[in-house]
Amino acid sequence: MLILIAEDDELILRTVEHKLLKEGHQTILTRNGREAIEKIKELDIDLVITDIMMPFASGIEILSAIRSFEKQLPVIVLSSMGQEEVVADAFDLGASDFMVKPFSPNELILRIKRLAGK
Amino acid sequence: MNSIFHRVTIHELIIAIVVVLSLVVLLIMMVLLYSFYKYKVLHQRQIWLQESEQKVTQAIVSGEEVGSVDEKFIMKLRNPSFRNIFLSVLVASDQKFSGGARNEVNNLFKTYKMEDAAWQKIRQKKAYVVAGGILELAVMRVESALPYISSLLEHPKRQVYQEAQYAVVSFKGFDGLDFLNTLVAPLSDWQQLRLLRSIGKLPVAHEEWVKNWLSSSNQTVIIFTLRLIRKFQLLPFYADAINLFDHRSVTVKVQAIRTIIALENVETINQLIAVFFKQPIEAQIEILRALKKSRSPQSTPFLQQQLWHHPAISIKIAATEALIALKQHDYLQRIATDETVPEEIKQVIKHALQEKT
């Protein structure tokens, strides 16, 4: 699977990247929302993992963009504690799943497998 | 004065200019060298940060296969600056990852004997260094540090005792809150939220403690306890929260209103309306917000009365907003277009309706 990760925290970005590579996936790394939206538009991505709070464009804006491109993409949202309302917005915009930070990378892999199996 | 200038020769003037220019060049050189040094330090920090993060990533992704001691890395850790950066990355990682990943981070802490570095910090004099050491030992769950950290709860420096409070609660959960029994200093809002986040569950025997804190002479302890009641939906304290409507502090009153709305029962709306007129404006606004949130039709006549008769504009606005939440648009539109209605009320309604749209 070609998976796009949108995350401005370098440690999370790299850890998730290595975890996915180890599972045999291909990855595209983006460190801000605008870059993520451009990549989603240009490339044929299979799944998106996005943080909510990011520079230039948020995870919510990425979800809106995916909807406007009319792409059917599974999206896993990474949120922080206290962002419940934003997570509700994310589901309204078509998010497939969400995880609250601190999160387990192993659990993230399991959720990706579940979404890939659908 | 003139005689002095007459005595300066061309030769001396040139020497003076050369000296001044040399000084300027020297100053520029020093600034450049300092900037270069700063850049090198920053660059080195960036490299160390990347190396530390790489170590954490490796440990999380590959687990035990790289969990063995890396001698090169140990050599690097002899540098105190690098050690501090690695330690800060470990602490930050603990707040980013959970489950097996967090265990791997904790293994790194033990494998590379970071505990010693944290202990060194906790025994220093500078408050921010001690606080950093407390945080590191707490985040990495070094249980043996608990007695020493507990002794810092009475530390004169705020940074230190706040970190000690957070640490004992991280270790002991609700039981760690016993420092509230004697706390004189205020608990900041931020500290309250941190503590609340660290408490996952309440022990069966919590009631006596909670009751004690609600009658504390420290109003921030009362406010924290009300937040605790809301978080864990402690219904038996509903009546105690109502009693706090008579507290001298407006902030406590406001928090008490929020608490009874969080524990709402069939009596809540009537109880809020009954105490409304005894409250200061800030608490009255909070009651109207509570009525807005609960959207109970039984409060409609009361809200209409406040819109018409309360002397404060802020109350009229809050009452109108609550009426909008109760879907009283037709009523409000009718008043807004009635020529016999005072202009002030019409303006309040228009303002509230505009805010809504």
Side-chain angles (χ1 to χ4, degrees), chain B residues 269-286:
Chain B
I269 302 302
N270 287 335
Q271 282 164 333
L272 285 174
I273 291 173
V275 297
F276 183 81
F277 293 105
K278 294 180 205 159
Q279 300 301 322
I281 289 283
E282 294 92 332
Q284 287 186 338
I285 289 177
E286 195 57 38

Side-chain angles (χ1 to χ4, degrees), chain B residues 139-205:
Chain B
V139 167
M140 293 300 153
R141 294 173 287 284
V142 181
E143 298 264 351
S144 59
L146 183 57
Y148 188 78
I149 291 174
S150 300
S151 74
L152 297 174
L153 284 168
E154 305 289 328
H155 198 278
K157 290 275 167 57
R158 194 175 69 167
Q159 216 174 353
V160 175
Y161 71 70
Q162 277 193 341
E163 213 52 62
Q165 289 168 354
Y166 177 64
V168 290
V169 174
S170 304
F171 280 118
K172 295 162 72 178
F174 181 85
D175 291 342
L177 289 172
D178 56 356
F179 70 87
L180 292 178
N181 298 332
T182 52
L183 187 70
V184 180
L187 265 182
S188 68
D189 266 1
W190 169 241
Q191 181 73 348
Q192 289 184 31
L193 296 176
R194 282 176 91 199
L195 296 177
L196 278 175
R197 227 183 114 174
S198 304
I199 302 166
K201 58 180 180 182
L202 297 190
V204 180

